[in-house]
Amino acid sequence: MGRLERDAADALAAAASSAELAEVETAALGKRSALAAAHRHLAALDPDARRAAGKALHDARTRLEALAAARAEELVAAERALMLGRDRLDLTEVTADEIRSAMTRGRLHLVTQTRRELEDVFVAMGFTVAEGPEAETDWYNFEALNIPPAHPARSMWDTFYLELGQPETVVLRTHTSPVQIHLMEDGPPPVHAVIPGRCYRRETADARHLPVFHQLEGLVVDRGITFGDLAGTIETFTTAYFGPDIHSRLRPGYFPFTEPSAEVEVTCTICRGAGCRTCSSTGWVELAGCGMVDPAVFEAVGIDPEEWSGFAFGFGIDRCAQMRHVIADMRVLTENDVRFLRLF
Ligand code: PHE
């Protein structure tokens, strides 16, 4: 119960306008809320447990309703103050500071903003957005992706294993590629999807790496898809997101689940190609892996590689944010220093 209530309370407290509050209230207290769902589960309990849980839910609801009412009052007051200020002054004289003092409003973390921007670029190209679980079985994270047990390529991903089931059978996904498998299992081609999500690798954080990071996977499966489609998609993405003066290049690469495979690199925006710590003095920064879906992957999910072909890519979302906003050291993304967060 504690977490349910806390999440709802946080959401209510974070609502930045009356309109947003109304939405949050519906989500937190309405028919389709987690609270209502918990209520429905009461029926399955025995009478004593039901009474206790029922009372806890009722009390939580009462507290949340009081919170919502208090927040509504605050917001209405802030909005009224803002409106009065506007009426009194020429609009151009209401400074950002005045608005801020009338109402403190949070914002989305840079990584979330970046994820949404990247999604928008791909949605504009006709992709849908999908998601998948962060804990995966070895099958999804590795085997179905043509990485059998003990395959040397496994060392490309330093893996966190969960203590669930047999040893080393459940992992925190090391990439978003396992969602390719889920999507192909979910229904027949065609697939045109991007999949954003959090990934985990056992490595030490440095200027360019975080042990918990985000990727945006892409998967296209259709008839007659070629490497040209892949290269064109990457190029369209690069200019749409970074602007025309940032160049990208594809270098031959290796991934067990794509053939041929390539690495996407862009000009290092920190040093503009001159060489610096962020790009290990190369002038280029790796942003993505990509390639044509390997027939072995199609076979693992029962798709006929003679009829269908496809490409896949996986971008680092944090890396995109770093390059776009010229952030020398990625670790600031996890420090939650408000002076940094407020910049975006
Ligand atoms: N999953 C790969 C990685 O994390 C990136 C990738 C995705 C490569 C899709 C090819 C195709 O390293």
Side-chain angles (χ1 to χ4, degrees):
M1 182 61 233
R3 194 177 54 94
L4 235 171
E5 185 182 348
R6 206 174 329 115
D7 287 352
D10 288 347
L12 288 168
S17 69
S18 305
E20 206 181 308
L21 181 66
E23 271 179 43
V24 175
E25 256 191 277
T26 312
L29 296 164
K31 273 203 222 75
R32 294 170 60 189
S33 62
L35 201 64
H39 245 288
R40 285 192 291 278
H41 284 123
L42 287 178
L45 301 177
D46 61 57
D48 277 348
R50 194 188 313 143
R51 213 169 301 117
K55 175 162 172 7
L57 285 176
H58 175 78
D59 291 348
R61 174 175 288 276
T62 312
R63 285 190 296 270
L64 287 170
E65 281 169 352
L67 260 182
R71 183 69 186 139
E73 228 169 81
E74 274 175 23
L75 288 170
V76 167
E79 280 158 5
R80 190 172 309 129
L82 196 64
M83 240 164 45
L84 286 177
R86 272 209 199 106
D87 285 346
R88 188 163 42 83
L89 298 167
D90 181 330
L91 247 193
T92 55
E93 289 174 27
V94 180
T95 63
D97 277 347
E98 287 174 48
I99 294 177
R100 229 175 273 131
S101 64
M103 134 182 187
T104 319
R105 122 163 250 180
R107 66 194 72 212
L108 295 172
H109 191 277
L110 174 61
V111 172
T112 308
Q113 292 183 35
T114 306
R115 191 194 81 204
R116 293 193 180 175
E117 275 174 54
L118 297 177
E119 285 172 15
D120 287 348
V121 172
F122 284 102
V123 165
M125 285 194 253
F127 286 72
T128 55
V129 180
E131 277 185 276
E134 289 175 25
E136 287 284 12
T137 59
D138 187 87
W139 160 259
Y140 284 101
N141 197 78
F142 291 121
E143 264 193 78
L145 290 165
N146 198 29
I147 318 168
H151 190 284
R154 286 206 178 198
S155 62
M156 292 167 74
W157 298 274
D158 286 317
T159 309
F160 282 118
Y161 291 93
L162 293 177
E163 282 184 17
L164 275 176
Q166 295 294 312
E168 305 206 347
T169 51
V170 183
V171 307
L172 286 176
R173 66 178 175 197
T174 58
H175 49 183
T176 40
S177 298
V179 192
Q180 290 186 32
I181 305 298
H182 290 293
L183 287 184
M184 291 190 280
E185 282 179 346
D186 284 350
V191 180
H192 305 88
V194 287
I195 308 126
R198 198 176 285 141
C199 305
Y200 303 82
R201 287 187 200 171
R202 252 183 60 182
E203 53 191 0
T204 309
D206 64 23
R208 276 187 311 163
H209 300 90
L210 297 172
V212 181
F213 61 102
H214 302 80
Q215 286 192 334
L216 184 91
E217 190 84 8
L219 175 69
V220 169
V221 182
D222 210 331
R223 293 189 172 86
I225 297 292
T226 67
F227 197 89
D229 296 314
L230 168 60
T233 305
I234 300 278
E235 183 58 28
T236 308
F237 158 78
T238 311
T239 45
Y241 182 70
F242 289 103
D245 56 330
I246 290 297
H247 302 290
S248 67
R249 64 178 189 185
L250 291 178
R251 289 200 320 161
Y254 171 73
F255 297 98
F257 33 92
T258 47
E259 181 59 36
S261 303
E263 276 165 22
V264 182
E265 296 183 332
V266 296
T267 320
C268 177
T269 55
I270 315 280
C271 61
R272 298 257 142 201
C276 67
R277 179 166 76 114
T278 305
C279 61
S280 310
S281 310
T282 62
W284 293 91
V285 172
E286 196 191 323
L287 211 59
C290 65
M292 302 305 290
V293 179
D294 194 294
V297 174
F298 282 141
E299 272 156 25
V301 291
I303 291 178
D304 180 2
E306 297 296 322
E307 185 180 353
W308 303 95
S309 59
F311 65 75
F313 55 79
F315 277 94
I317 296 180
D318 320 75
R319 194 68 69 76
C320 284
Q322 176 179 36
M323 284 301 117
R324 166 83 172 267
H325 299 285
V326 195
I327 297 168
D329 192 321
M330 222 182 217
R331 284 169 288 193
V332 291
L333 294 174
T334 59
E335 281 163 1
N336 284 338
D337 182 331
V338 282
R339 290 167 300 180
F340 172 77
L341 297 178
R342 273 208 198 111
L343 295 175
F344 304 97

